[in-house]
Structure formats: structure tokens, C-alpha cells
Amino acid sequence: MSVLPDELRTRLVNWWVAAAVTDGVDPDQKPDTVPVAGTAVLKMFVTYNNVHTSAGSATLVRVPINAIFDDEGHLATPYPKGHPQEGRPMYRGVVLHVTDDPNASVQDYTWSIETKFNKVGDVQVQIPTFSFLLPYAEEPLNLADVAPTPATPGYGLPQSEAAALRSAESSAESAASAEESKQAALEAKQVSNSVRSDADAGNFDGLSAYQVWLGLGHTGTEAEFMNWLKGPQGDPGNATLRVDSTVGERVYVSAGATEKLLSSTTFMRDVASLLTANVTVGTDGFARMIRESNRATLLLKNVTFTGAATSNFFLTGYPIGFRPTAITARVPVYMNSSGTTNLTGVTIRYAERDMGIINRTATPTFGDQYSITQISWLTTDAWPTAAALAALPVVP
């Protein structure tokens, strides 16, 4: 049996698996640990890989690598078949071909490990098959640092690719030098390629971006990984918001000494007290008014004329802050008259500060149980004061 040429890079993989069990009779008062026995099969993701050395080129075909867990629960390489100690641990750990060997045609692939553990008492121990990157490094890779756990299910494919993209963008903006930017982008590409390869092969097993990051040789907590993805803190903005709730609500935004009004509303107000004596408000009816920015709106429902036909005006005046601009306008509206809906007109008079119906000949009604009449106009009045609206309560 021949060995790999020294030019092909390898790395030792370790793993210790133990079960935490009820504390036994011993000096401490802590749960005991029991080594977990069993076997493992490690597989290279690619079915074969071409390698190139000074001795020539060759094709390495993927064959499962068998391993065991020794009497203390450590992953170990067993003695081969036919050896007097066949099946017993030969040495701790398993030596594998690294996934970023420059002498190999295919790089940035993954290894997977499938375990089969013996029972601990009456409990069947299970760890799902998972994949991992194996970049070259002098120190061994501890699978306990990259094995997924139920508490950290990891990212799916879209989230991992998005995280990799954010990593590349943030690194490009914040790296202290061009070399650091290049290295960060390369590692981000490896994260994305690893996740995509698993998904394309139908073997995606939930390996998180954090675990892949650890597999690339990084160390740190998940919080440190998230900080690694981020760029530098940007400059604080200088815009501030101010809310004036004296009358209704006005929201301003300011940048330095300049302040701009974003939105304003008086909230809906009950103006039934401003109706003339020749109109009545029926069941479920109302008369309400609201100002938003420089637009005022009157809303009427089930408001009916009851006086003589010559009594056209129905609004005695406008609150200060709602008065129309210096014009007399006519607004077409639909009104109900004896069960029929007709198009008529409403006059908004500036000089008299009132509102009425044009050429009323019947006893029409603004709105009914199914509809609301809405009449709007522009105003150049200053924002109303609390005193001006004291008799016009806010409608909940």
C-alpha cells in the first residue's frame, strides 16, 4: 500500500464525544461523563479529484474513510483488516486530504461525517450527518467546533449567500489594506461555494455560516462572527424629529438650523355645534372637520335640511385655522332628496365665512346610513390654537 506524496496537504481531524449522565458516587457533585462508543464514515464531497505533484499527476477516487471511537470516546483511526488488532484504535484522530490544496484541481469542497453510536444505557445516541470544510493548518481540526447543534440550526441557502455577500461588501469597504480586502472576499466566496455545493448536491444539512467560518480557521463566538460580517460604524446622522402635540400633532424634522414640517393633523373634530338651526343630525349621523397640512375637510352623515327652501346655509362659520382662502368656490356634491341621489352644488364663501347649498328646492340630506359626504378646501390660516378649538372636541 502506497502513501500520498508529501506535496499533497493533509490535516488531522479530532473529535471527543461523551454522554453526560447522572452523578455517581464520587467526591464532586457534578454530572458524570461516559465515553460514547461507535463508528464513523467520512466522505469527500467530490467523487474524484485530479492532483498534480513533482512525481506526476494522478486522480484520487472518493472512497469512504472508516473510523471508530475509542474506549474514551475519541475519534480514532483503526488498525486495518487482517491486522492482529483489526478494529482496535491505531491512533487518535483521522488524517484527511485538505479541501484547499493548491495541487488539486477541485478546491473549496467539503467532507461529511456519518456516525453510528452504541446505546448509553437505554438511550440511543444520535448526531445527524454534517459537512465541514477542511482548510490547511498545522493544528488539528476539532469537529466539536464545527458540528451543528439543535440550539444553532444555522442559515439556509439564501441567508448564507446573503451573509457571504454582506461579508464581501463590508470587507471591501472596511479592510485596512487591499490584501486584507482580497482575503476577506476570498473567504466569503468559500462560504458561499460551500453552501451552494451542498444544496446543489441535495445534501444540504443546515451547516451554518458561522460553522463554515470556523472551518476556515477562524476562532470566536457567534457574536464575534456577526461583528466580522459588519463594516465599520458609519457617522451618526444629524437629523432630529420634533413632535408638537399642543393642538393635534405636528411632526418636524431638522438638520442643523433648518426645520421642516413633515406632517400635521388636528385630528377629527366634532363641529355639530357650528350647524345652523335649519338642519338636524339624524341617527348615527355626524358633522366633523379635520385639517391636514393646508387642507381642511368637512364630513357629513345623515345631516338633513328641515327649514324653508330659502334657508340655504347650513354652516354658520369656520373655526380659525380652517377658513378658506380668499375666494368663493362652488363644489359639486351628491345629496339624497326624497330617496333619490342627485348632483347639486355647495358654495364655500370666504367673505361671509359660511357654507350653503346652491338653489335648494327640497329637503336634501348629506350622506345616509351607507355613505358620507366629504367637502374639502385649502386654507392659508395659521395652525389653529387650542382656544380656537376648545368647543370642538376630538372624535375618538
Side-chain angles (χ1 to χ4, degrees), residues 40 42 49-50 125 128 167 180 240 265 297 308 335 359 386:
L42 297 101
N49 200 353
N50 295 326
V125 179
S167 170
E180 291 178 356
T240 58
T265 177
T297 302
M335 303 184 66
N359 301 325

Side-chain angles (χ1 to χ4, degrees), residues 49-218:
N49 200 353
N50 295 326
V51 295
H52 313 282
T53 68
S54 58
S57 300
T59 298
L60 294 181
V61 181
R62 181 183 71 181
V63 176
I65 305 296
N66 296 313
I68 61 173
F69 290 87
D70 65 17
D71 295 339
E72 296 184 9
H74 290 273
L75 184 69
T77 299
Y79 280 100
K81 187 176 181 180
H83 191 276
Q85 298 190 58
E86 176 185 341
R88 296 293 300 162
M90 185 166 55
Y91 59 86
R92 284 184 177 175
V94 179
V95 178
L96 302 176
H97 187 211
V98 298
T99 57
D100 61 351
D101 192 337
N103 298 299
S105 298
V106 180
Q107 299 180 24
D108 301 329
Y109 58 89
T110 58
W111 281 90
S112 68
I113 181 167
E114 179 182 356
T115 57
K116 185 177 181 180
F117 295 109
N118 300 338
K119 287 186 176 181
V120 176
D122 296 329
V123 178
Q124 179 62 59
V125 179
Q126 292 182 339
I127 296 180
T129 302
F130 62 92
S131 299
F132 59 93
L133 286 171
L134 188 61
Y136 178 73
E138 293 293 337
E139 68 276 4
L141 173 66
N142 190 337
L143 291 183
D145 293 330
V146 298
T149 63
T152 56
Y155 291 136
L157 175 59
Q159 296 91 338
S160 296
E161 291 183 330
L165 179 60
R166 289 196 302 271
S167 170
E169 292 175 347
S170 298
S171 297
E173 294 174 358
S174 63
S177 66
E179 185 60 29
E180 291 178 356
S181 296
K182 179 180 178 181
Q183 181 62 27
L186 176 61
E187 292 178 356
K189 180 183 177 181
Q190 291 173 335
V191 172
S192 178
N193 289 345
S194 171
V195 177
R196 179 172 289 280
S197 296
D198 278 347
D200 290 345
N203 296 327
F204 189 70
D205 59 9
L207 189 66
S208 74
Y210 168 64
Q211 292 154 356
V212 174
W213 182 71
L214 292 174
L216 290 172
H218 296 280

Side-chain angles (χ1 to χ4, degrees), residues 280-334:
T280 58
V281 179
T283 304
D284 295 329
F286 55 74
R288 297 172 181 174
M289 193 177 293
I290 186 173
R291 175 175 171 180
E292 296 172 307
S293 186
N294 64 341
R295 179 175 295 275
T297 302
L298 176 68
L299 296 96
L300 301 171
K301 179 180 180 183
N302 206 11
V303 175
T304 305
F305 278 83
T306 58
T310 56
S311 302
N312 291 332
F313 292 95
F314 59 89
L315 193 66
T316 60
Y318 306 86
I320 297 175
F322 290 77
R323 298 174 299 183
T325 53
I327 61 171
T328 296
R330 293 187 175 184
V331 182
V333 297
Y334 281 96

Side-chain angles (χ1 to χ4, degrees), residues 315-391:
L315 193 66
T316 60
Y318 306 86
I320 297 175
F322 290 77
R323 298 174 299 183
T325 53
I327 61 171
T328 296
R330 293 187 175 184
V331 182
V333 297
Y334 281 96
M335 303 184 66
N336 296 323
S337 178
S338 302
T340 303
T341 301
N342 300 306
L343 180 65
T344 184
V346 167
T347 179
I348 301 173
R349 302 198 300 181
Y350 168 76
E352 293 80 0
R353 306 288 193 189
D354 57 17
M355 186 180 294
I357 300 176
I358 302 170
N359 301 325
R360 181 171 72 87
T361 58
T363 57
T365 299
F366 287 104
D368 56 19
Q369 67 267 37
Y370 305 111
S371 62
I372 297 174
T373 297
Q374 178 176 304
I375 306 168
S376 296
W377 61 93
L378 297 178
T379 179
T380 55
D381 274 356
W383 194 252
T385 63
L389 302 183

